Amino acid sequence: MRNGSLRKKTKWEWSGYIFILPWLCGFFLLTLFPMLRSLYYSFTNYNLMDSPHWAGLDNYIKIFTNDSTFRQSLTITLRFVAFAVPVKLVSALLVAMLLKKNVRGISVYRTLLYLPTLIGSSVASAILWRHIWGASGLINQFLNLFGVAGKSWISTPGTALMTLIVQGIWQFGSSMVIFLSALKQVPEDLYEASEIDGASKIRQFFAITLPMISPIIQFNLILQMIGAFQMFTQALIITKGGPVHMTFVYSLYLYETAFTRFNLGYASALAWILLMLITLITVAIFAISRRVVFYETEVEA
Amino acid sequence: MTVRRHKKTRMIFTHCFMVILCAIVTYPVLWWVFATFKDNSELTAPSLLPRQWILDNYVLGWNALPKFSFSHFFVNSFMVVGTIVVLAVLVCSFVAFGFARVRFPLRKMWFAILLTTLMLPSQIIIVPQYIMYNSLGWVDTYLPFIVPHLLACGNGSAFFIYMLIQFIRGIPRELDESAKMDGCTLFGIYARIIIPLTSSALISVAIFAFMWNWDDFFLQTLYLNSLTKFTVGLALKFFIDGESAAPWGQLLAMSLVSVFPGIIIFFLAQKYFVEGITTGALKG
């Protein structure tokens, strides 16, 4: 928009800073400053009682070479992210595709499918889940109908994480709503034109639908991925991190290190590793999407 | 003829699929609702409807915790979350107006930073923030929940600002220009033109702020430790940890009550909600 003839000279309005002042204060005091503090703490030993004392790279060295809990919680979290996020997004997209064609009663379907998301990651939904997958819960009652003897899914090491993944997928409603509106914005004439050219439905999906909504897929993917990495309430209430640490996700480990053992330096190092990991994955997603994602118009920043 | 029939079969297929999917997805919730009216002994039976409808779970559950009934915890939750909602709407719209309408130096840089904070995992700042609030004596008060929202850095703030910026950009600039000619100040434009025109987006901010902060269990378990100050979520956690044989019926009943406010608000303002979800995500 730098059009010289129209706008000869940009007239800055410093008063803008009055408007963003609250956020600016918040950014410096509650985001940037704490981030730098946590970077500093990650190189110290600190337990809230004594002042932090410098430990160099000790925390990081210990985490990477001599901390089996770290390795386990990271593996579990990665497994959770790798299963829950793609399945959630793919099912959200598929259902949105079905609902796109102005199906009658769409608002009823949409509301019903949104219901689990509405209950959200609350303590209440975690309590519900804990009962459903328990020894005498809904799942086993259902299996009993077919004569299959159930087990306590939550306290079996092999299936505990699966119950959490299923809950994550169960809440695919918000992604679906976003996909649905994205699909509705794809110009109809593109489909009509390709139909005349004799393109099949599948070809249309890959040649038109997918490229047109790719920015939204990217947006959803990144936000869901970050959210999944931070999963906390579910693991705390449904499985309590157990059995035998099989659902001891990263944020639970971080929480316990920081606030039950008060190893604040060590916890800060864990937090920075998580940040680096999330940044790395985000950058990778952006790098891949630079080739794949299709932007219709450049967006004004 | 065949094309039309083909379309019709596909429509029927779609409906069948959707009905089955909806049934599977909502069944746990349906089961939950009926379970709260069942006797504890009946919870393990496979039937959906209770053989005998009882209200005991609600009556007993409401007063199950020592010293305080759930009314107390609900008042606490509403107080905290209500304050947050008001602050989120006021502060985020104010900041968003600055970003969307005022051309100040370094605006693009600050906007980029705002977008980055949108993706920042909260774990990274939780430890230093705790230390800071602890030294200020704010642990076990509601200040760690409220102050961040006053400074547009609470749970969801960055998303709200971003969403409102997108929304305000959609309002024709001519309105501002003419108001400016009439001698309206920037603040006047914000208060008299932008605020009324963004009301639907502000409603969705309010709904999101309510739901996300009502559910924000991480911060609640971190900062609140005396029973007097407990929110509904913490009370439920206390309930589930309290006894070895947790009375599941009561637990499920109280859990259900705890999600009512969010569900009621959602249904009252569903139109704005869907609009809000999509403005933020789509116009980026």
Side-chain angles (χ1 to χ4, degrees):
Chain A
M1 287 294 280
R2 261 171 229 278
N3 198 325
S5 58
L6 274 176
R7 198 173 279 147
K8 277 175 214 142
K9 212 176 132 201
T10 317
K11 213 177 121 231
W12 295 119
E13 294 174 290
W14 285 91
S15 53
Y17 277 98
I18 296 173
F19 284 95
I20 68 160
L21 190 66
W23 174 77
L24 222 47
C25 292
F27 172 68
F28 281 109
L29 291 175
L30 299 177
T31 310
L32 188 63
F33 178 64
M35 265 180 83
L36 296 175
R37 290 290 287 203
S38 119
L39 185 61
Y40 163 68
Y41 290 142
S42 75
F43 296 109
T44 65
N45 278 323
Y46 187 28
N47 61 8
L48 209 57
M49 298 297 155
D50 316 312
S51 52
H53 52 92
W54 189 255
L57 284 169
D58 284 6
N59 289 330
Y60 289 96
I61 292 170
K62 194 179 166 207
I63 288 172
F64 283 118
T65 58
N66 191 19
D67 185 347
S68 56
T69 319
F70 163 76
R71 250 168 290 150
Q72 171 150 24
S73 66
L74 185 63
T75 316
I76 285 163
T77 310
L78 286 174
R79 209 177 293 162
F80 177 78
V81 174
F83 279 101
V85 176
V87 178
K88 186 179 185 173
L89 289 184
V90 169
S91 33
L93 183 58
L94 287 179
V95 176
M97 295 278 299
L98 273 178
L99 283 179
K100 182 186 69 161
K101 297 257 159 69
N102 277 321
V103 178
R104 204 177 298 162
I106 177 177
S107 63
V108 178
Y109 292 139
R110 199 179 55 197
T111 308
L112 286 177
L113 294 177
Y114 197 80
L115 201 61
T117 314
L118 208 54
I119 296 160
S121 52
S122 57
V123 180
S125 78
I127 288 175
L128 171 69
W129 218 245
R130 189 162 138 179
H131 191 273
I132 285 179
W133 292 88
S136 54
L138 193 59
I139 299 293
N140 284 342
Q141 291 168 20
F142 182 74
L143 287 178
N144 282 341
L145 294 179
F146 299 97
V148 180
K151 52 182 172 178
S152 177
W153 304 88
I154 283 163
S155 49
T156 308
T159 54
L161 186 65
M162 188 265 300
T163 65
L164 300 184
I165 292 174
V166 173
Q167 197 189 32
I169 297 167
W170 186 49
Q171 298 171 337
F172 71 102
S174 66
S175 310
M176 181 200 67
V177 173
I178 294 174
F179 281 141
L180 198 54
S181 352
L183 288 171
K184 286 201 165 152
Q185 292 198 339
V186 179
E188 196 55 39
D189 46 349
L190 287 180
Y191 293 106
E192 283 160 15
S194 74
E195 219 153 86
I196 293 167
D197 293 343
S200 69
K201 289 276 173 226
I202 293 169
R203 174 122 182 79
Q204 278 185 349
F205 175 77
F206 285 105
I208 301 172
T209 312
L210 220 47
M212 289 302 281
I213 64 164
S214 52
I216 307 300
I217 297 180
Q218 182 196 0
F219 174 87
N220 259 325
L221 181 63
I222 291 174
L223 283 193
Q224 294 291 347
M225 183 266 298
I226 295 172
F229 265 109
Q230 298 181 69
M231 193 264 281
F232 174 78
T233 312
Q234 266 52 33
L236 181 73
I237 307 248
I238 301 178
T239 52
K240 295 178 177 167
V244 287
H245 274 199
M246 276 314 281
T247 56
F248 199 60
V249 289
Y250 203 88
S251 53
L252 214 53
Y253 182 42
L254 206 158
Y255 178 83
E256 209 185 86
T257 311
F259 303 111
T260 47
R261 287 189 271 135
F262 284 100
N263 255 336
L264 295 170
Y266 201 77
S268 300
L270 286 173
W272 269 89
I273 291 169
L274 178 70
L275 179 69
M276 288 300 134
L277 186 67
I278 289 179
T279 312
L280 212 69
I281 299 177
T282 310
V283 169
I285 293 176
F286 271 116
I288 296 168
S289 22
R290 189 168 296 174
R291 297 197 195 166
V292 184
V293 171
F294 170 76
Y295 284 101
E296 199 176 357
T297 48
E298 279 303 316
V299 184
E300 185 201 5
Chain B
M1 199 54 192
T2 45
V3 172
R4 195 182 292 165
R5 192 180 296 159
H6 184 68
K7 262 200 173 143
K8 208 172 173 191
T9 14
R10 213 174 50 206
M11 214 55 179
I12 291 168
F13 168 77
T14 307
H15 276 291
C16 287
F17 179 78
M18 290 314 296
V19 168
I20 293 170
L21 185 69
C22 287
I24 294 172
V25 166
T26 51
Y27 193 82
V29 180
L30 213 61
W31 178 85
W32 187 11
V33 173
F34 288 122
T36 61
F37 296 104
K38 285 177 186 167
D39 186 70
N40 258 331
S41 62
E42 226 190 305
L43 276 179
T44 50
S47 69
L48 180 64
L49 294 173
R51 229 174 298 136
Q52 200 188 353
W53 292 72
I54 54 163
L55 280 173
D56 284 16
N57 290 327
Y58 288 93
V59 180
L60 296 175
W62 197 263
N63 297 305
L65 296 185
K67 285 197 209 146
F68 300 107
S69 73
F70 265 84
S71 328
H72 181 80
F73 304 122
F74 268 97
V75 170
N76 284 349
S77 279
F78 273 115
M79 230 163 54
V80 180
V81 180
T83 315
I84 287 175
V85 167
V86 173
L87 285 176
V89 168
L90 288 178
V91 179
C92 293
S93 66
F94 196 70
V95 174
F97 175 79
F99 273 114
R101 280 297 204 256
V102 192
R103 298 180 52 82
F104 55 88
L106 298 180
R107 184 181 65 164
K108 284 189 178 174
M109 184 191 83
W110 293 123
F111 182 71
I113 292 176
L114 176 79
L115 287 187
T116 317
T117 63
L118 193 67
M119 295 188 249
L120 201 68
S122 56
Q123 268 84 351
I124 197 73
I125 49 174
I126 220 86
V127 168
Q129 264 191 7
Y130 181 86
I131 294 166
M132 189 165 86
Y133 294 149
N134 187 48
S135 64
L136 289 168
W138 288 2
V139 171
D140 209 23
T141 71
Y142 296 133
L143 288 171
F145 304 92
I146 291 166
V147 171
H149 282 277
L150 194 63
L151 297 179
C153 281
N155 181 7
S157 297
F159 180 77
F160 303 148
I161 297 174
Y162 173 65
M163 190 172 98
L164 289 170
I165 290 174
Q166 302 296 352
F167 198 89
I168 294 172
R169 277 183 184 159
I171 299 172
R173 257 177 195 277
E174 288 75 35
L175 288 174
D176 308 27
E177 304 291 335
S178 58
K180 220 182 256 179
M181 300 238 212
D182 294 343
C184 205
T185 59
L186 272 175
F187 187 79
I189 295 173
Y190 161 75
R192 296 211 205 111
I193 297 176
I194 300 297
I195 285 283
L197 286 175
T198 41
S199 53
S200 72
L202 292 176
I203 291 173
S204 52
V205 166
I207 302 171
F208 277 123
F210 183 90
M211 307 231 296
W212 292 351
N213 288 287
W214 186 272
D215 277 356
D216 191 353
F217 185 67
F218 188 88
L219 284 186
Q220 293 170 9
T221 50
L222 189 57
Y223 287 115
L224 300 176
N225 38 44
S226 59
L227 195 59
T228 343
K229 302 211 170 81
F230 270 18
T231 57
V232 180
L234 286 174
L236 285 173
K237 172 80 167 68
F238 187 69
F239 198 0
I240 204 170
D241 288 346
E243 290 146 73
S244 48
W248 273 107
Q250 294 175 29
L251 209 45
L252 289 169
M254 288 304 104
S255 304
L256 189 63
V257 177
S258 82
V259 296
F260 270 170
I263 292 183
I264 290 169
I265 289 174
F266 173 79
F267 279 106
L268 287 179
Q270 202 187 11
K271 194 183 102 204
Y272 305 105
F273 193 77
V274 175
E275 209 170 282
I277 262 196
T278 45
T279 351
L282 287 182
K283 297 192 182 156

